[in-house]
Structure formats: C-alpha cells, structure tokens
Amino acid sequence: MILDDAFVAISDPNRRFLLEELRRGPKTVNELAAGLPVSRPAVSQHLKVLLDAGLVSARPEGTRRVYAISTEGFLRLNIWLDQFWDGDTNGL
C-alpha cells in the first residue's frame, strides 16, 4: 500500500524538512542539502524514500535532477485522511 510508504516517509524529520523546502518550489539536491546537517548522499537517500512514496517527483535538468512536490501523491494521502473527518466531533 503506497500510503504505508507515505506515512513512513513523512515520519522522519529530515524528510519533513525536505518536503517543506520543496513546498516553496523545486530544488536540486545541493540546494536541499544546504539546509540540513546531513551529507549530500544522505539527502539523496531521503529523496529516494520520498520518490518511492510518490510524494515528490524528479526531472533531469542537464546533469542535475530537480525535485518538486508531487501533488498527486499528497492528494492520495489527503483522500485517505479525509475519511476520518466526517464532521462528527463527538469522538474528540
């Protein structure tokens, strides 16, 4: 189930940071690595987890890859979460 992968992907604080950065616009690995206290290869590994979960996309640009938020991936996650919001607040 891809949602399992999405929840695992967003469970890591470094990956949440990457998602927040990508929400501001597409970026390369080097641009993303500048904001994290981890190595560039570690950022690439985190991005692979996000790619596999369908939460980000990547496109080649010369010798670099540019990463961006995948709205389709977040839409699937949002649709799944929405089933728990039926308007009944008695359970809160």
Side-chain angles (χ1 to χ4, degrees):
M1 177 177 186
I2 193 134
L3 288 172
D4 291 338
D5 295 337
F7 286 114
V8 169
I10 63 175
S11 70
D12 183 275
N14 290 320
R15 290 193 286 268
R16 287 194 305 271
F17 174 84
L18 293 173
L19 291 170
E20 290 168 8
E21 287 297 305
L22 291 172
R23 191 185 66 172
R24 294 176 179 86
K27 291 184 176 45
T28 64
V29 173
N30 287 336
E31 291 169 326
L32 292 165
L36 283 171
V38 296
S39 68
R40 186 194 168 287
V43 171
S44 293
Q45 290 174 352
H46 284 303
L47 288 167
K48 174 143 178 33
V49 172
L50 294 169
L51 275 166
D52 291 346
L55 298 175
V56 300
S57 62
R59 73 177 195 294
E61 189 176 276
T63 59
R64 304 176 303 166
R65 294 181 85 187
V66 178
Y67 293 86
I69 292 292
S70 170
T71 54
E72 296 83 17
F74 277 94
L75 179 61
R76 283 192 302 272
L77 189 58
N78 193 42
I79 288 169
W80 188 84
L81 288 169
D82 276 350
Q83 70 183 326
F84 298 100
W85 299 102
D86 64 359
D88 178 15
T89 59
N90 292 331
L92 296 178

